[in-house]
């Protein structure tokens, strides 16, 4: 008997839901461990409070002398909540969060000590930049990097540590994290969007980018996960035959949440409330043991911080409930993978959603302006947007089951397509009073009615308009949202900047009225953006052929997709918008390519180990049992033994064939890996891992999965899909 596997199954079956006490209302718990506005009013001086609020709302710099007052108030609050340490909490390019804890403690001589936390500790620290991915920006001998406080994202307490959200930059100022370029992109978006909003409302002074992410994940019992070396080391199953029942009955999606999973969710939501993460929705997803949670929309920078924090909290809370959370985009073959839909919108400080139609023709023209500019931005930068969601994990998901394809396209629905078709026929030049009235009454004025019945029914679109926002569905579940949000906000900010230049030119040089100029520019944008609009099914050869005909890219792999990040066009775009310089862009490209190589390398090593040290020995053991059986039958029946042993002989032969194929494929894979490792060019190395090493995974898996069907279940060493997906 496979001791570890069956011990894990027994342990799982004996589990009971962990009791979670919920005495207080969620609204009372919300933000209790966050240094938010209400807390700051209580613990800061008026000058310090006003300084922080000005920094949060207007980006005003905080004076160092005021920082001392802020740090004192923050320290007193943190200690009153049981905190003993503080940390600069940041998001390096590892994809996870980082922190180094220092105590509120300092000796003052004569055996005495005090609690201390000054403005200098709040504002800046110096972690070792060479120990994080840096793409060659920093050498080990000059490894200083700096974390600097981001006052726009409030500090919080987790455990016994005061966590201060920070940016992470090199000694020479290059960004080494996800937050820094995101803040720059949001600043660019604010400036560009406000300038365009002035056409419609002179009172607009600020435009905020909103983000609502939807986090999908799998829950697997911790004992079952621990019995699988592939899950432990790679976060996904590298082999395993599909269970007879998967998701084909559609009985898991929106079904009753299993008791243990529900207890975990309640505990998780309680922690989220304390940390100010506004989670609202929870439900079963399509695949067995797959779930989703989603928050209320938040300002984009804060939403990115919340999602990064949430993933940490999910892991920690899961330990209390004896679960392992799988964030990988494709942890199980044959069932849906996990994504992280990014719902993106823009809103003004006057309370207007720029991607939501209004009640007047003027507000609807504003909506169309931002709506069409977003379409144009994606149309002109679809390769860069694809690069923003490229990863080794997401390569497995894109185009599989219900996930969107690797080809970027936009779904807007039939009714809005008709509206754009109407606008495409606008007169070139000045509009007659009759045409303008007709447009405002019969086209622009009817948009709210159109959207009432324009719910998105196309689940294969990677970028879809869903009523008052765009939903970027191609983002992978492990991704830091800062990456796709940086790209999306940058390309739209650039597009809005260009739009204003074109409109102003028509107003000034052609003496056009503002509305006429806007209609004329939008008309040309509609004509030039048709290739990106697609209402059909995003799967299959038909769409791939159509996309190629339209001139859309179809980058199926990460090494292929990432090249767009260092194209002349992309580097110029990021530099022009003040988001990243050439050094930063090239460094990120190198880091992401190296990350791809290392992940495939680790998976290859783990797969080779499991195949040779777990699967083959058990197959040989079972084969020996069959041989013994055949020998016994021969002793009894003599020359007629084949009549009674034919099935056993066939099994012995089949097992030998699979063992032989596994060993030869593992040897080939190892040789290809060693050859690739000798390459100094990281681009070529990534290419070889993608096209020479990774393809052998499928062959090795095929033969291992065939053996799973042949070998006695009692001795099979790997926990099976039916046990991983249906034991809860």
């Amino acid at each position: 008997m496979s001791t570890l596997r069956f011990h894990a199954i027994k342990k799982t079956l004996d589990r009971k839901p962990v009791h979670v006490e919920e005495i207080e209302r969620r609204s009372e718990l919300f933000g209790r461990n966050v240094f938010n506005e209400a807390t700051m009013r209580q613990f800061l001086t008026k000058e310090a409070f006003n300084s922080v609020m000005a920094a949060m709302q207007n980006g005003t710099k905080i004076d160092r002398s005021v920082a001392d007052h802020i740090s004192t108030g923050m320290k007193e609050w943190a200690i009153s909540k049981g905190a003993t340490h503080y940390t600069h909490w940041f998001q390096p390019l590892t994809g996870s969060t980082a922190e180094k804890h220092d105590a509120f403690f300092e000796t003052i001589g004569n055996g005495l000590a005090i609690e201390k936390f000054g403005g200098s500790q709040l504002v800046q620290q110096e972690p070792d930049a060479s120990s994080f991915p840096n793409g060659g920006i920093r050498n080990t001998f000059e490894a200083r990097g700096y974390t600097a406080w981001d006052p726009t994202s409030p500090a919080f307490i987790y455990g016994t540590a005061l966590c201060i959200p920070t940016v992470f930059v090199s000694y020479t100022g290059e960004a080494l994290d996800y937050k820094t370029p995101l803040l720059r992109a949001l600043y660019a978006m604010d400036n560009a969007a406000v300038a365009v909003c002035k056409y419609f409302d002179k009172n607009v002074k600020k435009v905020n980018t909103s983000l609502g992410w939807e986090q999908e994940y799998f829950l697997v019992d911790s004992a079952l996960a621990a019995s699988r070396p592939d899950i432990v080391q790679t976060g996904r199953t590298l082999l395993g035959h599909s269970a007879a029942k998967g998701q084909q009955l559609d009985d898991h999606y929106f079904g009753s949440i299993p008791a243990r999973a529900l207890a975990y969710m309640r505990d998780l939501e309680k922690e989220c409330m304390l940390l100010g993460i506004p989670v609202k929705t929870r439900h079963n997803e399509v695949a067995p043991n797959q779930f989703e949670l989603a928050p209320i929309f938040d300002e984009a920078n804060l939403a990115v911080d919340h999602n990064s924090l949430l993933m940490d909290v999910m892991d920690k809370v899961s330990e209390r409930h004896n679960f392992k959370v799988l964030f990988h985009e494709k942890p199980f073959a044959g069932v849906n993978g996990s994504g992280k839909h990014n719902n993106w919108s823009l809103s003004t400080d006057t309370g207007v959603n720029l991607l939501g139609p209004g009640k007047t023709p003027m507000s609807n023209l504003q909506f169309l302006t931002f709506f069409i500019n977003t379409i144009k931005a994606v149309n002109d930068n679809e390769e860069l947007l694809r690069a923003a969601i490229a990863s080794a994990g997401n390569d497995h998901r894109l185009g599989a089951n219900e996930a969107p394809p690797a080809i970027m396209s936009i779904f807007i629905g039939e009714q809005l397509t008709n509206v754009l078709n109407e606008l495409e026929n606008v007169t070139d030049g000045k509009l007659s009073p009759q045409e303008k009235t007709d447009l405002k009454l019969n086209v622009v004025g009817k948009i709210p009615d159109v959207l009432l019945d324009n719910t998105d029914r196309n689940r294969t679109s990677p970028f879809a308009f869903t009523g008052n926002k765009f939903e970027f569905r191609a983002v992978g579940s492990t991704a830091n949202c800062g990456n796709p949000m940086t790209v999306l906000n940058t390309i739209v900010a650039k597009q809005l900047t260009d739009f204003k230049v074109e409109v102003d030119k028509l107003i000034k040089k052609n003496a056009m009225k503002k509305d006429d100029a806007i209609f004329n520019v939008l008309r040309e944008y509609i004509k030039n953006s048709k290739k990106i609009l697609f209402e059909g099914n995003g799967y299959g050869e038909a769409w791939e052929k159509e996309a190629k005909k339209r001139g859309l890219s179809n980058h199926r792999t990460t090494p292929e997709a990432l090249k767009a990040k260092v194209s002349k066009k992309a580097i110029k775009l990021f530099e022009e918008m003040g988001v990243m310089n050439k050094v930063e862009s090239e460094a990120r490209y190198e880091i992401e390519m190296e990350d791809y190589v290392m992940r495939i390398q680790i998976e290859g090593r783990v797969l080779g180990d499991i195949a040779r040290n777990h699967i083959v020995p058990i197959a040989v053991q079972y084969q020996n049992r069959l041989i013994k059986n055949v020998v016994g039958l021969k002793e009894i029946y003599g020359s007629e033994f084949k009549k009674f042993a034919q099935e056993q002989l066939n099994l012995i032969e089949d097992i030998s064939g699979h063992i032989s194929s596994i060993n030869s494929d593992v040897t080939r894979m190892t040789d290809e890996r060693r050859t690739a490792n000798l390459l100094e060019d990281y681009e070529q190395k990534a290419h070889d891992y993608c096209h020479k090493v990774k393809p052998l995974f499928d062959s090795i898996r095929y033969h291992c999965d065939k053996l799973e069907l042949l070998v006695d279940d009692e001795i099979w060493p790997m926990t099976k899909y039916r046990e991983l997906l249906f034991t809860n």
Side-chain angles (χ1 to χ4, degrees):
M1 179 181 283
S2 178
T3 308
L4 179 60
R5 174 182 157 217
F6 286 101
H7 175 72
I9 294 168
K10 183 180 183 306
K11 206 169 181 181
T12 303
L13 292 172
D14 289 340
R15 309 263 202 217
K16 296 288 184 286
V18 174
H19 178 66
V20 179
E21 283 218 16
E22 290 193 75
I23 302 169
E24 297 178 81
R25 292 183 179 185
R26 302 264 167 125
S27 57
E28 293 170 350
L29 284 176
F30 187 71
R32 184 174 292 177
N33 289 345
V34 180
F35 199 62
N36 53 26
E37 184 176 337
T39 305
M40 286 193 290
R41 287 185 184 278
Q42 185 179 349
F43 283 87
L44 297 184
T45 63
K46 186 175 181 181
E47 181 189 10
F49 173 79
N50 289 336
S51 182
V52 175
M53 294 306 293
M56 291 174 68
Q57 293 168 2
N58 307 314
T60 310
K61 192 174 180 180
I62 295 175
D63 188 83
R64 277 295 178 112
S65 61
V66 179
D68 283 328
H69 294 296
I70 297 167
S71 63
T72 300
M74 201 180 279
K75 178 197 71 177
E76 291 306 315
W77 168 74
I79 290 173
S80 75
K81 304 286 287 184
T84 57
H85 290 67
Y86 66 92
T87 179
H88 275 201
W89 182 84
F90 57 103
Q91 300 164 45
L93 299 172
T94 56
S96 56
T97 60
E99 52 196 65
K100 181 193 77 169
H101 295 198
D102 287 306
F104 293 121
F105 172 82
E106 194 163 305
T107 56
I108 56 173
N110 298 322
L112 300 175
I114 58 170
E115 275 82 27
K116 186 176 179 182
F117 178 57
S120 58
Q121 285 92 11
L122 167 65
V123 172
Q124 184 176 300
Q125 282 192 335
E126 289 188 30
D128 179 0
S130 69
S131 299
F132 292 100
N134 55 67
I137 288 177
R138 306 301 304 137
N139 293 314
T140 304
F141 63 84
E142 48 181 13
R144 276 188 298 172
Y146 294 102
T147 51
W149 177 35
D150 170 21
T152 63
S153 185
F156 57 91
I157 293 170
Y158 192 58
T160 58
L162 168 66
C163 300
I164 302 154
T166 55
V167 298
F168 181 38
V169 296
S170 71
Y171 177 69
T172 48
E174 289 91 2
L176 296 173
D177 64 347
Y178 288 107
K179 182 186 273 282
T180 305
L182 175 65
L183 289 172
R184 294 170 182 166
L186 295 175
Y187 178 74
M189 172 60 84
D190 180 21
N191 288 338
V194 166
V196 173
C197 281
K198 296 288 187 184
Y199 287 139
F200 309 98
D201 183 354
K202 300 287 185 187
N203 296 316
V204 173
K205 293 185 176 63
K206 186 170 180 59
V207 171
N208 287 312
T209 302
S210 296
L211 169 64
W213 39 261
E214 301 168 25
Q215 181 69 58
E216 294 177 344
Y217 62 99
F218 282 81
L219 282 179
V220 175
D221 186 88
S222 56
L224 297 178
S227 72
R228 295 276 310 213
D230 47 0
I231 290 179
V232 171
Q233 295 188 72
T234 72
R236 76 179 183 103
T237 57
L238 297 174
L239 48 80
H241 199 281
S242 297
K245 179 181 182 290
Q247 62 187 43
Q248 60 267 53
L249 296 179
D250 296 325
D251 55 348
H252 191 259
Y253 189 57
F254 277 22
S256 177
I257 300 173
R260 282 184 63 204
L262 184 59
Y264 164 74
M265 291 175 181
R266 290 173 62 203
D267 200 2
L268 173 64
E269 289 166 2
K270 186 177 174 183
E271 293 286 352
C272 287
M273 289 300 108
L274 291 169
L275 292 165
I277 305 173
V279 292
K280 186 175 178 69
T281 303
R282 64 189 184 201
H283 63 83
N284 288 1
E285 257 300 333
V286 174
N289 277 355
Q290 186 187 31
F291 307 94
E292 180 185 296
L293 84 161
I296 297 169
F297 279 47
D298 228 326
E299 186 277 323
N301 177 44
L302 184 57
V304 170
D305 282 359
H306 279 164
N307 182 250
S308 297
L309 175 58
L310 172 94
M311 293 169 79
D312 288 344
V313 176
M314 287 175 75
D315 275 334
K316 288 171 182 173
V317 173
S318 70
E319 292 173 9
R320 298 202 289 259
H321 294 260
N322 299 300
F323 277 127
K324 170 77 174 172
V325 181
L326 302 185
F327 290 113
H328 195 283
E329 284 80 5
K330 199 73 175 175
F332 300 101
V335 296
N336 282 7
S338 296
K340 188 180 321 200
H341 296 186
N342 278 209
N343 294 279
W344 174 86
S345 63
L346 301 168
S347 57
T348 68
D349 57 350
T350 58
V352 175
N353 179 354
L354 296 172
L355 291 174
K359 295 177 180 178
T360 66
M362 180 56 76
S363 60
N364 280 340
L365 182 56
Q366 178 174 262
F367 156 71
L368 282 171
T369 296
F370 282 89
F371 177 69
I372 293 169
N373 271 282
T374 301
I375 292 172
K376 178 74 161 51
V378 175
N379 179 83
D380 294 353
N381 299 278
E382 45 95 10
E383 284 191 276
L384 187 56
L385 207 58
R386 166 67 179 93
I389 48 94
S391 70
N394 217 18
D395 282 357
H396 293 284
R397 169 179 168 262
L398 295 177
N401 291 63
E402 52 59 271
I407 304 166
M408 293 294 107
S409 66
I410 299 177
F411 173 87
I412 62 173
E414 184 183 350
Q415 291 91 341
L416 278 170
T417 300
N418 292 336
V419 170
L420 297 193
N421 289 339
E422 292 272 2
L423 290 174
E424 191 181 342
N425 297 318
V426 166
T427 300
D428 187 1
K430 294 180 181 178
L431 278 65
S432 68
Q434 184 180 349
E435 183 180 8
K436 196 180 293 186
T437 301
D438 184 57
L439 271 175
K440 288 183 176 180
L441 290 179
N442 298 321
V443 181
V444 179
K446 287 188 175 179
I447 288 174
D449 298 328
V450 164
L451 290 187
L452 283 175
D453 190 36
N454 192 37
T455 51
D456 169 36
R457 296 185 180 91
N458 188 330
R459 304 306 296 172
T460 64
S461 175
F463 198 84
F465 185 69
T466 55
N468 58 2
K469 64 187 185 300
F470 279 98
E471 186 174 355
F472 192 9
R473 297 198 184 110
V475 183
S477 50
T478 59
N480 183 302
C481 298
N483 199 4
M485 283 296 103
T486 296
V487 170
L488 180 57
N489 283 286
T490 301
I491 64 175
V492 176
K494 173 67 167 75
Q495 180 53 51
L496 290 170
T497 302
D498 292 347
F499 170 78
K500 187 171 189 307
V501 169
E502 291 185 57
V503 170
D504 287 350
K505 184 179 177 182
L506 289 178
I507 293 171
K508 190 174 181 180
K509 288 193 174 180
N510 295 29
M512 275 192 195
K513 289 185 177 179
K514 179 186 67 180
D515 288 5
D516 292 7
I518 289 172
F519 276 124
N520 270 264
V521 175
L522 292 181
R523 180 196 63 235
E524 294 307 305
Y525 285 178
I526 293 166
K527 288 180 180 178
N528 296 330
S529 303
K530 283 184 171 291
K531 73 175 184 181
I532 202 72
L533 298 175
F534 180 62
E535 305 296 304
N537 188 341
Y539 297 136
E541 290 184 17
W543 168 229
E544 288 182 11
K545 286 179 182 176
E546 173 64 22
K548 187 176 181 181
K549 198 165 145 188
R550 293 183 181 199
L552 294 173
S553 65
N554 183 13
H555 300 312
R556 297 173 183 273
T557 67
T558 291
E560 191 182 352
L562 285 176
K563 289 179 182 178
K565 284 196 169 185
V566 285
S567 66
K568 287 181 181 178
K569 179 182 175 183
I571 289 172
K572 183 183 176 185
L573 166 72
F574 286 126
E575 287 187 323
E576 185 181 333
M577 301 311 295
V579 174
M580 284 187 287
N581 59 34
K582 186 179 180 183
V583 172
E584 290 170 317
S585 293
E586 290 177 343
R588 276 158 203 273
Y589 173 62
E590 182 179 334
I591 288 165
E592 290 181 42
M593 289 288 260
E594 288 177 345
D595 179 80
Y596 177 85
V597 167
M598 287 186 283
R599 290 185 187 280
I600 303 300
Q601 183 185 83
I602 291 167
E603 288 187 354
R605 287 173 173 170
V606 173
L607 181 58
D609 170 59
I610 294 173
R612 279 195 166 148
N613 297 328
H614 295 249
I615 304 301
V616 170
I618 288 297
V620 170
Q621 182 183 325
Y622 182 60
Q623 191 180 47
N624 287 337
R625 190 192 297 178
L626 292 172
I627 292 169
K628 189 176 179 181
N629 176 261
V630 170
V631 170
L633 289 171
K634 189 174 182 181
E635 287 177 2
I636 295 171
Y637 295 105
S639 60
E640 295 184 355
F641 82 98
K642 283 190 178 179
K643 189 181 357 175
F644 304 97
Q646 194 57 55
E647 284 298 319
Q648 293 90 320
L649 289 168
N650 290 342
L651 272 173
I652 290 166
E653 191 175 333
D654 287 347
I655 290 170
S656 289
H658 292 305
I659 289 173
S660 175
S661 295
I662 289 169
N663 279 323
S664 63
D665 285 342
V666 170
T667 298
R668 277 180 61 206
M669 179 186 69
T670 305
D671 290 343
E672 291 289 0
R673 208 171 62 231
R674 285 173 178 161
T675 302
N677 289 342
L678 296 174
L679 297 170
E680 292 186 8
D681 186 306
Y682 62 84
E683 283 186 334
Q684 188 59 49
K685 185 184 287 188
H687 177 275
D688 282 13
Y689 261 96
C690 180
H691 296 287
K692 295 181 179 179
V693 177
K694 188 167 169 276
L696 291 165
F697 291 8
D698 293 336
S699 178
I700 295 167
R701 178 174 192 149
Y702 171 81
H703 293 290
C704 288
D705 289 356
K706 286 296 181 184
L707 286 175
E708 183 182 328
L709 296 178
L710 299 178
V711 173
D712 183 1
D713 182 67
E714 285 286 310
I715 62 170
W716 188 253
M718 305 294 288
T719 304
K720 297 187 175 184
Y721 267 33
R722 67 168 184 264
E723 295 149 359
L724 291 166
L725 290 172
F726 292 97
T727 311
N728 48 39

